[in-house]
Amino acid sequence: MFRVTMKEDLNEQDYYLEVESPHVSRHWRPGQFVIIMTHERGERVPISVATINGGRVGMFIKKLGKTSVELYRDFKVGSSLYAVAGPLGRPLKLESYGTVVLASDAVCGHAEQLGLAQELAKLGNKVISIQTFKTEKEVYPEKYLAKKYVDEYFITTLDGTAGYKGHYIDLLRELLARREVKAVFAGGALANLKKLAEATAGLDVRVYALVRTIMVDGTGMCGSCRVRYNGVIAYACRDGPWFDARLVDWDDVLRRDARFKKVEKIALDKYLAR
Amino acid sequence: MVKKRFTPKVLPVSERLRSFGEVVLGYDYETSVREASRCLRCPLWFAPCSKACPLRVKVPAFLEYIVKGDLEAAARKVYEDNLFPSITGRVCPQEWFCEGNCVVSKIGESVSVGLLERYVGDYARENGLDEKILAEMVSKNSGVKGRVAVVGSGPAGLSAAGWLRLRGYEVVVYEALHRPGGVLAYGIPEFRLPRSVLDHEIKKVENLGVEIRLNHVVGKTVLLSELLSEYDAVFIGSGAGTPKLLNIPGVDLNNIYTANEFLTRVNLMRAHLFPEWDTPISVGKTTLIIGGGNTAMDAARVALRLGSKPVVVYRRDREDMLKTTRRDEVLHAEEEGVEFKYYLQPIEFLGDENGFVKAVRFEVMEPLNELDERGKKKIVGTGRYVEIPADTVVIAIGLEPNRLLMEESGLRFNEDGTIAVDDHLMMSLPGVFAGGDAIRGESTVVEAMADGKRAAEEIDLYVRRKKGLA
């Protein structure tokens, strides 16, 4: 069960991992995620889904903490994960908006773009995709970019070595000024999603953000992932993970995201030192 | 007759503080026989203990076998009504059920039915008798009567699955987590219910031929409508899995946990063994536990074992707390050194510059000369406030049913989020039955098990009628 069928580098820190999980693929909708465990002693970690190929779930993962590094180093094609649960999260109710923009600057976001782009195109939207990377070196291989599914495609790099120089927020500002964009779907670094919410405040455009918070069960049981949303408490796993970006209390999200920073480092250091 | 009950072996307090080992070690054979001998052997048609038991365990009958020294017969008698004596014997609040109604309590201390049930359950388990008894019970069926899907592998689901199997059904249990057991696995700490015991009880159900599909979230991975088309009936034992939070300022601060998160990180994910196990928990010097229920006791005693100083803060007094909280847990918490503060209602959480909680502000409450519907004193604020420093807070003020299932249409829910069922435990959707906390709100393990057992009976009747067999 949960056999790894493919593993490929996306760049130096991100990788693609495909795992047999037919139970997940049957009802998965773009925007939904999975929770994985490497082994019995592992942590339950929410992971972004990029593709569904038959019964195989393709994920984008960043080598960041102990689980993601261990998964990259110790799991090969043919190894099995201990658990894959899902699909989790509420599927986005997508509509025919007109012109929409997909934007992201990290694995969670880049992954979701692939599914959302195809679904939004099916609904007759004109889809523009912006994917931000630090430098040209970090740009994903072509087959993992949203490019082939969208009407217009932009890469931006922070240092200008490829595509537009700057962050997706900078390019989005320009697009919003001169184009009639009806909706924006953005994922990636939480701090940048906060900036996006600020940059689009008061504008007549819907902005949805992928709010990926620290989870345990992923089914609304523990409250670890709670988010202050429109003044009340919402659970990212059950009510999200997509929320109206301008109704999210981003300071709350960013503060809660740092809860386990110290201990997370202990786990990674111990793994690397073994 | 002996008026005082025999005390069980208990782990010394000094050995409990840094250990998750079981606290109550139970009776040995001699003590069991002596304790069982205290029973007055009320006839079963009268026995108030048995009548007060949600599972209707024939208490005087199984105690009589203990007195005779025939533990296999005692186990058989228990298994007629209760498939999980090693669990209920450990976690039942017996003072509200069997023991609370024991006739002996009129003249002395009630018979320790819970510890005796546990003794019989453990004896059966340790000697392979449970598997033998169950195998005999299941072999009485001829052929398969139908197929039933069970949602959730907690006490209600496990019980429903077991009893349905014994009635001749094929059963598949769908569990959202990577480990079966539901609240028994994520909620109840190991020092009350050891993992080895729980694992065995689950294995026992699997060995009966019940299949448990882990990592399956019903409503997401598989839809209720699909279960309905694939099975003759569905039982929902999804529990009261969503924590209530206080709607007061600062509740979002870091190191403020819901009891569910706090307990799940430790009980299910074993954060106390971090970093050998990967899931972390962050606990400071002082942990304030808000609430006075069983979950609050569990959280306080877990905090203690994580090396923090636990302070339970309850808005009423000890007497009222004991009306809804298992006596043993309160006593154990007290003797372990958990501090209790009464008549305090939280008003605000105060944080430091990094967004971590540093203190909680409470209003001092006082009782009115009036009781509420649960027989507890009504309370009112005094306008006086106190601030208690704490670097960790656990909110244990209760749970409500998980709304995940609501996303699928066709189901009727009560205003409080519980699933509405008729007198036969059937929901507004024909063929879908429910029990346990999903229909009761927060309740007890034994009532959930009783619902599972009764649902098995109702489902059996329903399926046979549907197939024209009854």
Side-chain angles (χ1 to χ4, degrees):
Chain A
M1 274 259 268
F2 317 131
R3 209 169 56 91
V4 175
T5 50
M6 197 171 155
K7 188 172 81 172
E8 259 181 41
D9 285 330
L10 294 169
N11 59 29
E12 269 193 6
Q13 75 265 346
D14 300 346
Y15 60 99
Y16 174 81
L17 187 81
E18 204 174 78
V19 178
E20 274 175 5
S21 314
H23 65 306
V24 171
S25 27
R26 287 194 311 125
H27 289 299
W28 177 84
R29 304 294 304 142
Q32 287 187 296
F33 63 97
V34 291
I35 280 191
I36 63 162
M37 283 177 80
T38 45
H39 45 68
E40 197 195 2
R41 284 175 284 113
E43 196 174 2
R44 294 176 65 89
V45 185
I47 300 283
S48 285
V49 174
T51 60
I52 295 284
N53 289 326
R56 301 186 302 280
V57 174
M59 317 168 204
F60 284 5
I61 305 173
K62 184 187 177 83
K63 285 176 259 174
L64 185 68
K66 193 241 170 182
T67 301
S68 50
V69 172
E70 181 184 33
L71 192 52
Y72 182 78
R73 292 197 180 182
D74 299 351
F75 287 70
K76 302 175 173 60
V77 170
S79 323
S80 282
L81 272 61
Y82 177 71
V84 180
L88 295 167
R90 182 173 290 169
L92 266 163
K93 283 200 179 74
L94 299 174
E95 301 165 23
S96 300
Y97 305 91
T99 301
V100 298
V101 173
L102 302 176
S104 54
D105 62 359
V107 276
C108 58
H110 288 332
E112 279 77 0
Q113 278 213 22
L114 302 183
L116 289 176
Q118 295 173 70
E119 191 71 13
L120 286 162
K122 252 188 248 165
L123 290 164
N125 293 287
K126 180 176 164 49
V127 185
I128 303 170
S129 162
I130 312 172
Q131 292 189 280
T132 297
F133 298 91
K134 262 192 210 128
T135 72
E136 184 189 17
K137 238 179 78 193
E138 292 195 356
V139 175
Y140 290 176
E142 187 109 357
K143 69 169 173 169
Y144 292 112
L145 295 174
K147 194 172 180 178
K148 56 181 174 289
Y149 305 116
V150 297
D151 301 290
E152 279 179 66
Y153 184 75
F154 300 94
I155 275 181
T156 87
T157 47
L158 299 185
D159 63 0
T161 45
Y164 177 96
K165 182 178 179 186
H167 190 265
Y168 71 70
I169 297 175
D170 305 317
L171 179 55
L172 183 66
R173 267 207 196 92
E174 289 179 22
L175 288 176
L176 289 173
R178 58 186 161 82
R179 304 276 286 271
E180 204 182 326
V181 176
K182 292 291 186 188
V184 176
F185 297 84
L190 295 169
N192 292 327
L193 291 170
K194 179 190 175 186
K195 285 184 200 150
L196 169 72
E198 289 162 357
T200 55
L203 296 182
D204 181 25
V205 55
R206 292 190 239 195
V207 183
Y208 299 97
L210 172 59
V211 185
R212 178 59 52 74
T213 57
I214 300 167
M215 298 181 185
V216 185
D217 66 295
T219 65
M221 183 271 277
C222 79
S224 172
C225 68
R226 64 186 197 260
V227 174
R228 179 75 39 185
Y229 180 66
N230 203 13
V232 298
I233 289 166
Y235 287 175
C237 70
R238 181 193 63 198
D239 308 318
W242 291 88
F243 291 99
D244 183 327
R246 279 142 341 168
L247 298 179
V248 172
D249 180 342
W250 289 103
D251 291 331
D252 173 50
V253 170
L254 291 168
R255 188 185 59 238
R256 286 186 61 79
D257 194 53
R259 284 193 289 159
F260 295 108
K261 278 279 178 303
K262 268 189 220 153
V263 278
E264 278 163 0
K265 195 175 169 326
I266 295 174
L268 180 60
D269 289 349
K270 182 174 174 283
Y271 170 76
L272 294 175
R274 86 196 160 138
Chain B
M1 98 144 267
V2 184
K3 286 191 179 174
K4 278 191 89 68
R5 43 169 64 184
F6 291 88
T7 48
K9 275 194 224 114
V10 175
L11 198 69
V13 170
S14 59
E15 286 176 40
R16 291 187 215 165
L17 299 182
R18 285 295 176 124
S19 139
F20 281 75
E22 190 167 24
V23 167
V24 180
L25 301 169
Y27 285 149
D28 54 20
Y29 175 70
E30 284 75 24
T31 323
S32 298
V33 174
R34 275 190 224 130
E35 180 65 23
S37 307
R38 297 178 59 235
C39 173
L40 295 177
R41 305 215 194 127
C42 302
L44 276 179
W45 59 265
F46 166 71
C49 51
S50 181
K51 283 189 175 162
C53 172
L55 288 164
R56 298 287 182 274
V57 172
K58 301 176 198 83
V59 177
F62 95 78
L63 295 197
E64 196 175 340
Y65 283 120
I66 297 179
V67 176
K68 284 184 189 157
D70 191 345
L71 293 174
E72 178 162 350
R76 274 180 205 285
K77 198 42 85 181
V78 172
Y79 269 80
E80 284 176 14
D81 305 290
N82 181 8
L83 304 182
F84 307 99
S86 285
I87 296 177
T88 50
R90 282 177 168 81
V91 306
C92 254
Q94 287 93 0
E95 63 265 36
W96 307 332
F97 300 117
C98 51
E99 295 177 15
N101 291 275
C102 175
V103 173
V104 176
S105 67
K106 306 275 191 270
I107 48 168
E109 288 179 342
S110 62
V111 177
S112 293
V113 180
L115 286 165
L116 292 168
E117 184 182 54
R118 164 183 165 162
Y119 181 73
V120 169
D122 286 359
Y123 178 88
R125 189 179 74 249
E126 284 153 16
N127 294 283
L129 290 176
D130 52 353
E131 302 275 0
K132 182 175 139 193
I133 294 168
L134 288 170
E136 283 168 23
M137 285 165 87
V138 81
S139 69
K140 288 186 184 132
N141 298 301
S142 52
V144 178
K145 287 200 239 167
R147 279 167 55 78
V148 181
V150 169
V151 181
S153 65
L158 285 177
S159 172
W163 288 108
L164 281 162
R165 193 72 201 98
L166 292 174
R167 284 176 178 275
Y169 287 83
E170 277 180 7
V171 184
V172 179
V173 179
Y174 292 85
E175 167 55 50
L177 292 171
H178 58 281
R179 261 181 85 85
V183 72
L184 301 170
Y186 72 73
I188 298 182
E190 266 202 273
F191 50 80
R192 287 218 284 136
L193 179 63
R195 262 165 106 91
S196 56
V197 174
L198 177 60
D199 286 349
H200 180 95
E201 298 299 286
I202 291 164
K203 196 88 216 142
K204 197 166 86 179
V205 175
E206 287 182 299
N207 288 348
L208 265 179
V210 170
E211 184 195 344
I212 302 180
R213 285 190 195 155
L214 301 171
N215 304 303
H216 278 66
V217 186
V218 171
K220 299 281 180 197
T221 312
V222 55
L223 306 180
L224 192 54
S225 53
E226 291 173 311
L227 295 181
L228 267 173
S229 63
E230 220 184 296
Y231 296 89
D232 297 308
V234 178
F235 174 78
I236 297 177
S238 52
T242 296
K244 288 183 194 156
L245 277 160
L246 287 158
N247 194 17
I248 58 174
V251 71
D252 305 317
L253 288 165
N254 288 355
N255 274 10
I256 298 182
Y257 296 89
T258 67
N260 264 10
E261 181 185 354
F262 191 75
L263 291 172
T264 301
R265 282 183 180 274
V266 175
N267 299 341
L268 180 75
M269 307 309 295
R270 321 211 86 192
H272 55 296
L273 301 177
F274 179 87
E276 273 66 44
W277 289 60
D278 293 345
T279 303
I281 191 157
S282 157
V283 173
K285 288 199 184 81
T286 308
T287 302
L288 273 196
I289 295 96
I290 295 174
N294 288 314
T295 310
M297 299 308 122
D298 286 341
R301 298 172 70 198
V302 164
L304 184 87
R305 285 158 173 79
L306 293 173
S308 187
K309 175 171 175 38
V311 182
V312 170
V313 189
Y314 184 51
R315 59 200 188 123
R316 293 190 170 84
D317 60 12
R318 187 175 185 274
E319 186 195 353
D320 277 345
M321 188 167 75
L322 285 167
K323 286 180 184 143
T324 43
T325 305
R326 194 167 180 255
R327 186 184 49 215
D328 268 7
E329 307 324 321
V330 175
L331 297 180
H332 286 144
E334 285 171 342
E335 68 190 26
E336 285 166 11
V338 174
E339 193 183 329
F340 286 79
K341 290 183 188 289
Y342 297 105
Y343 284 121
L344 293 178
Q345 167 116 341
I347 298 298
E348 185 182 4
F349 297 103
L350 307 165
D352 66 13
E353 64 279 7
N354 297 319
F356 282 76
V357 67
K358 64 171 187 188
V360 188
R361 206 165 125 79
F362 294 90
E363 180 170 12
V364 180
M365 309 301 283
E366 61 184 17
L368 292 171
N369 212 356
E370 221 180 306
L371 298 182
D372 68 10
E373 68 279 0
R374 289 178 305 171
K376 292 185 177 186
K377 291 179 273 295
K378 284 193 180 164
I379 47 168
V380 64
T382 58
R384 283 182 290 124
Y385 298 89
V386 291
E387 215 175 281
I388 305 177
D391 42 19
T392 312
V393 171
V394 179
I395 300 175
I397 58 164
L399 302 165
E400 54 196 20
N402 198 332
R403 294 198 308 248
L404 206 76
L405 271 170
M406 288 194 202
E407 317 224 321
E408 250 187 284
S409 56
L411 303 181
R412 201 159 54 80
F413 291 87
N414 297 316
E415 223 165 82
D416 63 358
T418 54
I419 295 174
V421 290
D422 66 14
D423 294 342
H424 305 281
L425 296 179
M426 191 153 89
M427 300 173 56
S428 53
L429 219 61
V432 185
F433 296 75
D437 282 2
I439 64 166
R440 294 172 179 273
E442 245 182 311
S443 171
T444 60
V445 165
V446 68
E447 286 166 286
M449 286 181 175
D451 285 347
K453 183 167 116 176
R454 190 156 80 81
E457 194 182 322
E458 298 285 0
I459 288 169
D460 185 23
L461 202 63
Y462 169 86
V463 173
R464 282 191 292 130
R465 265 194 202 131
K466 201 169 78 170
K467 296 190 171 177
L469 299 168

